[in-house]
Amino acid sequence: MSQGYDVLINALAVSIIGGLGSTGGVIVASLVVGFAQRFTDTYIGSHWTMIVSLVAILVVLVIKPSGLYGKQKELEERIKSEKYSGETNVEYRTAE
């Protein structure tokens, strides 16, 4: 029964570390998480593999909340540059 939770935790770790909406980030994050888990399984013990994923999630959320290749910073910079340049034809999407 815990196998389903292992998959969910791994998927959550990869999506958070890679950055939501970033395909390249998810690919890199999946390789990093996979290698980290195998390294931990081989040298430390198999019961520590999920802890590695959870620690990686916490570290990335503290250091860079948008993920490794997240687009939040790019969006903020774009909004700032358009605000200072005086352009008013910017479309913003809102949740409906």
Side-chain angles (χ1 to χ4, degrees):
M1 175 143 162
S2 69
Q3 285 294 340
Y5 291 116
D6 292 347
V7 172
L8 287 175
I9 291 173
N10 285 334
L12 179 69
V14 167
S15 64
I16 289 176
I17 293 170
L20 296 175
S22 172
T23 306
V26 169
I27 292 170
V28 170
S30 64
L31 291 172
V32 169
V33 169
F35 283 128
Q37 285 184 347
R38 288 309 110 215
F39 181 82
T40 304
D41 186 28
T42 303
Y43 294 108
I44 298 174
S46 63
H47 55 281
W48 290 94
T49 56
M50 281 299 113
I51 294 173
V52 168
S53 295
L54 295 173
V55 168
I57 290 172
L58 289 176
V59 167
V60 168
L61 286 177
V62 167
I63 294 174
K64 191 172 181 216
S66 61
L68 295 177
Y69 294 98
K71 298 185 176 166
Q72 182 64 30
K73 260 319 194 198
E74 294 172 10
L75 181 63
E76 289 174 2
E77 290 174 5
R78 181 177 170 208
I79 290 172
K80 277 185 189 178
S81 67
E82 289 173 353
K83 180 179 177 183
Y84 291 125
S85 67
E87 295 179 22
T88 58
N89 58 358
V90 179
E91 292 182 26
Y92 296 101
R93 286 193 265 170
T94 58
E96 296 180 13

